[in-house]
């Protein structure tokens, strides 16, 4: 479910996996793994993801 939410919000903001990865200072493959449920971001990264995605609304 977390993986689906990350993907849905990223797409709703018009970001590619690569663009989100750059904003988070990770490689694109990391975002892909999160979205495919192969791994999950740690709690600090979850906070960073939310901050980055919220900033796009400002």
């Amino acid at each position: 479910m977390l993986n689906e939410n990350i993907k849905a919000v990223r797409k709703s903001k018009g970001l590619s996996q690569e663009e989100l990865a750059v904003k988070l200072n990770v490689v694109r493959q990391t975002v892909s793994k999160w979205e495919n449920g192969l791994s999950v971001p740690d709690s600090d990264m979850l906070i960073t993801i939310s901050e980055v995605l919220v900033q796009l609304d400002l």
Side-chain angles (χ1 to χ4, degrees):
M1 182 146 156
L2 174 62
N3 60 322
E4 295 167 1
N5 289 340
I6 293 172
K7 185 175 185 175
V9 174
R10 173 184 62 78
K11 286 187 168 191
S12 75
K13 305 293 183 178
L15 291 175
S16 67
Q17 287 182 343
E18 180 68 28
E19 290 167 327
L20 180 57
V22 167
K23 292 179 181 297
L24 298 173
N25 295 316
V26 298
V27 295
R28 185 203 55 79
Q29 289 84 350
T30 300
V31 175
S32 177
K33 285 181 181 180
W34 295 337
E35 291 185 356
N36 288 305
L38 301 175
S39 68
V40 293
D42 64 24
S43 57
D44 289 335
M45 182 56 74
L46 282 173
I47 293 168
T48 304
I49 292 168
S50 66
E51 289 172 347
V52 164
L53 295 174
V54 167
Q55 280 181 332
L56 296 173
D57 287 335
L58 302 178

